[in-house]
Amino acid sequence: MTTAIIGVGNIGTALARHLVRGGEPVVLAARGKSHAETLAQELGPLAGAASVDDAIAGADAVVFAVWLETIKGLLATHAHLLENKVVVDPSNPLGFDENGQMMRTLPESQSSGSVVASLLPAGAHYVKAFGTIGADALAGGANRQPRRAVLFYATDDDVAATTIERLIRAAGFDPLRAGGVADAGRIEAPGGDLQQFGLGGELLDLDRARAAITAKAAA
Ligand SMILES: NC(=O)c1ccc[n+]([C@@H]2O[C@H](COP(=O)([O-])OP(=O)(O)OC[C@H]3O[C@@H](n4cnc5c(N)ncnc54)[C@H](OP(=O)(O)O)[C@@H]3O)[C@@H](O)[C@H]2O)c1
């Protein structure tokens, strides 16, 4: 299985390092090919660099580690390449205003996941994952001892669930399904109760993560 990572910024770089360390082949793409090439060279033989088109075409799973507006732009031109592929979406409903300040770009009631999922072809296997904790925590939280930290994911698709569980484990975390696409907002920031910052900044182990999923329903 090959995983394309589109975007090699904070999230894409941390994820690429973890997946390669976990034995997963990755193909990296970014706006400028040199960023992807530099990281691929550093990561060694399991990593390659390609254009966005070629990275998607050659992959079984595609992680869009770019901002929501960029995902929307890329899907406008590349959605047809995603038939039968697992599409992994770490995006939050965030962007930047004219002063460079980060701002929410969707209404409170709308998740980034619902927007991205709606833009995919029917045969794509959508899952929200890998954006549920901050990039620093993602980079530093893998293979935690004595108990691994959980990464939540959300999907309605069993193919996507199987693939993301494999990738989350390879990356050094324990996977836990938070629900379907309708629940994606629970693992997005700002506002998600299962997102790292909705959990007071903590990374949970499996027992506490399972309890957190049901806590809201019980409240
Ligand atoms: N940072 C966090 O703590 C965090 C936490 C949770 C979720 N997220 C989500 O994760 C996503 C990525 O965040 P980030 O912090 O990793 O972003 P980032 O550091 O700004 O990196 C963005 C990457 O996107 C690439 N890119 C931009 N336009 C592109 C295009 N048209 N085609 C291909 N690649 C393009 C850039 O390429 P170049 O390198 O060539 O410029 C860069 O590698 C966002 O949706 C964010 O909401 C971030």
Side-chain angles (χ1 to χ4, degrees), residues 5-14 29-36 51-52 64-71 73-74 78 89-96 102 112 128-138 187-189 195-197:
I5 301 177
I6 313 301
V8 292
N10 300 305
I11 293 290
T13 295
R31 186 169 31 193
K33 202 174 167 205
S34 66
H35 289 160
S51 67
V52 173
F64 282 97
V66 297
W67 294 91
L68 175 59
E69 284 309 308
T70 306
I71 297 180
L74 287 171
H78 292 74
D89 164 28
S91 70
N92 287 318
L94 292 170
F96 298 91
M102 202 178 277
S112 177
K128 163 122 274 175
F130 285 127
T132 59
I133 62 178
D136 289 350
L138 182 66
I187 56 174
E188 294 180 2
Q195 209 276 346
Q196 182 189 0
F197 302 108

Side-chain angles (χ1 to χ4, degrees), residues 84-145:
N84 300 319
K85 300 194 190 274
V86 173
V87 176
V88 184
D89 164 28
S91 70
N92 287 318
L94 292 170
F96 298 91
D97 67 17
E98 61 277 8
N99 300 315
Q101 295 298 308
M102 202 178 277
M103 54 174 277
R104 189 177 176 98
T105 55
L106 295 175
E108 296 285 340
S109 58
Q110 192 174 28
S111 68
S112 177
S114 67
V115 170
V116 175
S118 74
L119 297 173
L120 297 179
H125 305 284
Y126 174 84
V127 57
K128 163 122 274 175
F130 285 127
T132 59
I133 62 178
D136 289 350
L138 182 66
N143 298 305
R144 194 177 68 174
Q145 298 285 346

Side-chain angles (χ1 to χ4, degrees), residues 17-42:
R17 282 191 208 291
H18 291 335
L19 290 181
V20 165
R21 201 172 297 130
E24 294 286 340
V26 297
V27 179
L28 310 176
R31 186 169 31 193
K33 202 174 167 205
S34 66
H35 289 160
E37 281 171 349
T38 303
L39 181 60
Q41 276 172 13
E42 180 199 321

Side-chain angles (χ1 to χ4, degrees), residues 116-201:
V116 175
S118 74
L119 297 173
L120 297 179
H125 305 284
Y126 174 84
V127 57
K128 163 122 274 175
F130 285 127
T132 59
I133 62 178
D136 289 350
L138 182 66
N143 298 305
R144 194 177 68 174
Q145 298 285 346
R147 302 202 69 194
R148 284 184 167 203
V150 159
L151 291 185
F152 292 108
Y153 66 90
T155 187
D156 297 311
D157 183 303
D158 289 342
V159 171
T162 300
T163 298
I164 202 66
E165 294 222 351
R166 168 182 169 155
L167 293 178
I168 289 174
R169 283 200 183 91
F173 294 84
D174 277 341
L176 188 60
R177 191 176 193 157
V181 175
D183 305 295
R186 293 189 72 184
I187 56 174
E188 294 180 2
D193 65 306
L194 298 176
Q195 209 276 346
Q196 182 189 0
F197 302 108
L199 293 163

